[in-house]
Amino acid sequence: MRSLSGQPVFSVGREQYCWEDVVLADILWGGWAALEEDVRAGLACTRRLERLGRTVPAQEVNEAASAFRYERDLVAAEDAAAWLRKWRLDAEDWLGYLRRSILRRRWQGKLAELTGEFPATALEVESAIMAEAVCSGRLDRAARKLAARAAVYERLAEQSEGENGDEWTDDGLSRELERFPESMVQRALAGLPEDQVRARMTVVARLELALRRFREVVSTPRAIEERVGLHHLDWIRFEYQSLAFAREEAAREAALCLREDGLALATVAAESNAPLWAAECYLDQVDAPLRPRFLGAREGELVGPVELSGEFTLFQIIRKRLPSPSDPETRRRAEESVVRGAAAYELQQRVRWQT
């Protein structure tokens, strides 16, 4: 983190935010802990490959590098080199990240086991974590998330000017500061003065409290009702059961038993030795080709078979509920949508990016 500390990322009003603020925020949200786990798992995978006397095939690395550059519009070699310089990384940092990513995908089901078998040292994690944070896009995503909170804080401070200032952030500030895991902060911001780190922790904690206050301000009953109305189709909630078959013929035979013979789904599942799954979802979470069929289905009706991910699946709609502001889950969704939209507006209006 030392290479990026003190480097401005964005400003809101008279306050300037640097990369250490972004890291502190991600620590508070739990993202940095997940990042450390990713690095440990990637290093463990690398160690295992070395134990086997093998390397990641050059073709796989080249393909991953090409995809990485294409996604970030770094097609020209000079653009890629400039991008690395901007983040204070070198080519080996980048290639190391690509190799770890390839190996994590390859051994996805064994990561916990490998991390225990090949533990990484603190120095190894420290050496790799910034490349992981930058190349994975986590640092950029965290910066945007923090910028939205900073914009929200500025709006609330303006609204309360002349009244109580920002005293509303004092309530719970000490509890918010206690949420920072001390050892992780020390690892991530090693080398920075302790008083400086504490001051920036206080800034980040205030922004987190500001978002909670902002939620209360913008999530009015009218705003919630209007948002639910806007998503009156997307937020229809389904409870369903499903059966998946490897062959289409087997799925069609099961559907015939259900529709013509009136057998229960559980009976067909038991007779065909197929796992029966129960789930809930909103219409906007259903695969796009399936949405019209779910939308048109009545409670108790069978949908399918439908080919999904190489399998042929039957869905039985158990319950279908229209969205309502009085439903706690729908209300939570509406609140999140209202807050995201309002925060995005403040971000666009108030944030000046400096990267």
Side-chain angles (χ1 to χ4, degrees):
M1 184 61 223
R2 295 190 194 95
S3 62
L4 294 179
S5 63
Q7 183 174 321
V9 184
F10 63 88
S11 61
V12 179
R14 289 174 293 186
E15 185 76 37
Q16 182 171 271
Y17 299 85
C18 299
W19 283 116
E20 52 264 43
D21 300 319
V22 176
V23 171
L24 282 170
D26 205 39
I27 289 173
L28 187 63
W29 302 327
W32 202 260
L35 181 68
E36 286 188 345
E37 286 304 308
D38 284 348
V39 172
R40 291 190 186 96
L43 291 170
C45 290
T46 302
R47 190 73 52 80
R48 184 196 191 198
L49 197 68
E50 291 171 352
R51 180 75 60 85
L52 295 172
R54 292 154 49 191
T55 59
V56 181
Q59 183 178 349
E60 284 190 58
V61 177
N62 291 337
E63 288 174 355
S66 296
F68 182 97
R69 290 171 59 179
Y70 180 79
E71 288 169 4
R72 292 160 181 78
D73 196 22
L74 303 174
V75 179
E78 55 267 30
D79 292 334
W83 186 87
L84 289 172
R85 285 196 300 273
K86 168 189 170 183
W87 291 107
R88 318 283 174 85
L89 300 174
D90 59 31
E92 188 50 44
D93 293 326
W94 175 50
L95 292 172
Y97 161 76
L98 294 177
R99 294 187 192 102
R100 290 192 300 273
S101 299
I102 291 168
L103 293 176
R104 280 198 302 265
R105 287 194 297 271
R106 180 185 299 176
W107 291 323
Q108 187 172 5
K110 298 181 177 180
L111 294 183
E113 176 186 339
L114 292 176
T115 302
E117 186 177 354
F118 301 100
T121 66
L123 183 59
E124 287 173 328
V125 174
E126 181 184 350
S127 298
I129 198 163
M130 281 312 298
E132 195 82 27
V134 170
C135 295
S136 67
R138 187 186 297 272
L139 212 53
D140 266 338
R141 292 190 296 273
R144 189 166 184 84
K145 190 174 175 181
L146 182 66
R149 283 159 167 74
V152 160
Y153 178 89
E154 184 76 3
R155 173 185 158 175
L156 292 175
E158 286 179 359
Q159 287 180 336
S160 61
E161 191 172 353
E163 298 174 7
N164 296 320
D166 62 354
E167 289 179 10
W168 46 268
T169 62
D170 292 335
D171 184 29
L173 183 59
S174 59
R175 290 194 299 274
E176 199 67 23
L177 286 168
E178 289 172 0
R179 291 180 53 220
F180 285 95
E182 185 177 349
S183 60
M184 189 174 296
V185 170
Q186 291 173 350
R187 289 196 301 273
L189 301 182
L192 294 184
E194 186 177 337
D195 58 344
Q196 178 185 336
V197 172
R198 183 71 182 182
R200 300 317 296 177
M201 285 169 60
T202 302
V203 169
V204 170
R206 285 187 183 277
L207 299 190
E208 201 66 15
L209 292 170
L211 183 65
R212 296 177 195 170
R213 173 60 179 160
F214 186 67
R215 178 184 296 274
E216 297 172 1
V217 170
V218 300
S219 298
T220 64
R222 180 176 178 179
I224 297 299
E225 187 173 337
E226 289 177 350
R227 193 56 55 105
V228 172
L230 185 65
H231 294 278
H232 68 285
L233 290 181
D234 294 339
W235 292 355
I236 295 175
R237 195 172 180 180
F238 296 87
E239 295 178 27
Y240 66 88
Q241 292 181 321
S242 64
L243 283 176
F245 297 86
R247 295 184 301 109
E248 184 176 9
E249 296 80 3
R252 291 195 177 281
E253 183 178 346
L256 189 64
C257 292
L258 292 163
R259 290 189 174 109
E260 301 298 328
D261 299 338
L263 296 182
L265 200 66
T267 301
V268 173
E271 291 181 353
S272 58
N273 199 28
L276 178 64
W277 300 99
E280 294 187 19
C281 70
Y282 291 94
L283 185 64
D284 62 4
Q285 296 172 326
V286 176
D287 289 341
L290 261 179
R291 288 176 195 170
R293 301 182 70 171
F294 264 60
L295 186 60
R298 297 184 298 273
E299 290 187 358
E301 188 171 335
L302 190 69
V303 174
V306 179
E307 185 175 4
L308 294 171
S309 303
E311 294 185 315
F312 298 89
T313 305
L314 296 169
F315 300 89
Q316 187 165 49
I317 309 301
I318 306 301
R319 192 176 179 193
K320 184 177 178 181
R321 286 179 286 176
L322 295 176
S324 168
S326 62
D327 174 63
E329 183 62 23
T330 300
R331 183 177 181 82
R332 183 197 63 78
R333 262 200 155 209
E335 284 184 357
E336 291 295 333
S337 180
V338 168
V339 173
R340 277 198 309 270
Y345 174 80
E346 298 299 333
L347 183 149
Q348 186 177 19
Q349 298 298 312
R350 299 174 183 275
V351 174
R352 298 182 299 280
W353 295 98
Q354 297 175 26
T355 57

